[in-house]
Amino acid sequence: MTVASLTGGFSATPQQSAQAFRAILEALARPGTIHPVAGASPPSPLSVAAGVALLTLADATTPLHLAGAADCAEVCDWIAFHIGAPLVAAGDADFALGTWEALQPITRYRIGTPDYPDRSATLIVEVDRLTTHGACLTGPGIETVSWLSLPETAAFRANRALFPLGFDCLFTCGARLAGLPRSTRVEAI
């Protein structure tokens, strides 16, 4: 374990985690909105927003899957020290983190069961850009229509067709994040 893995967590945990939780909640409750977050300095290749999401949502009882470049020694050590989340295979994860390409195929993640639709995975997707331009979003939490830059639309349309089953997504870029719950209808522009 390096010195870098021992730093980069919240410095004022109660306040910062409460602020981050509120931002994540708002992002998922209002799809297509982008929210700034702060307080984490995770090792590369993780963004500040991905680190904040992990520090806020994961703990020692939260199975986590790391995909692609996120599955490296520096990130694993940082997670072990700050969060303690067990690292698992994709099919066993409550949360999965990586780029959209690295998280493929998305069919390997849990989508819940008819009796327990909440027993599904949340994908934390690292993206190169996060803007309110792109795919058209409608549904719960959106007054009329919203837009969000998504890595694709077909997978999210298929995910919506599974509702109330399916996965939820948090998109992270730099120190900003946006949410896309399974209940959101996605249309290509």
Side-chain angles (χ1 to χ4, degrees), residues 164-175:
L165 305 181
F167 57 85
D168 299 309
C169 289
L170 279 176
F171 296 97
T172 58
C173 181

Side-chain angles (χ1 to χ4, degrees), residues 1-138:
M1 195 169 282
T2 65
V3 173
S5 62
L6 304 177
T7 61
F10 289 145
S11 58
T13 303
Q15 296 84 3
Q16 290 172 310
S17 62
Q19 291 165 346
F21 186 76
R22 181 62 181 189
I24 292 167
L25 184 65
E26 286 288 323
L28 288 168
R30 292 172 178 72
T33 60
I34 298 173
H35 302 268
V37 292
S41 298
S44 182
L46 298 189
S47 67
V48 168
V52 166
L54 288 176
L55 288 170
T56 305
L57 300 173
D59 63 21
T61 65
T62 311
L64 173 64
H65 176 71
L66 299 175
D71 188 12
C72 64
E74 295 81 10
V75 172
C76 291
D77 287 347
W78 187 81
I79 289 169
F81 181 77
H82 293 281
I83 301 164
L87 300 178
V88 298
D92 299 323
D94 287 344
F95 291 94
L97 170 67
T99 63
W100 184 247
E101 295 77 22
L103 290 167
Q104 299 302 314
I106 57 169
T107 54
R108 60 190 176 147
Y109 300 101
R110 293 192 329 234
I111 60 168
T113 65
D115 291 337
Y116 299 99
D118 59 316
R119 293 184 181 169
S120 62
T122 298
L123 308 183
I124 302 171
V125 184
E126 291 270 43
V127 293
D128 292 332
R129 68 182 188 92
L130 190 58
T131 66
T132 54
H133 303 285
C136 178
L137 310 179
T138 58

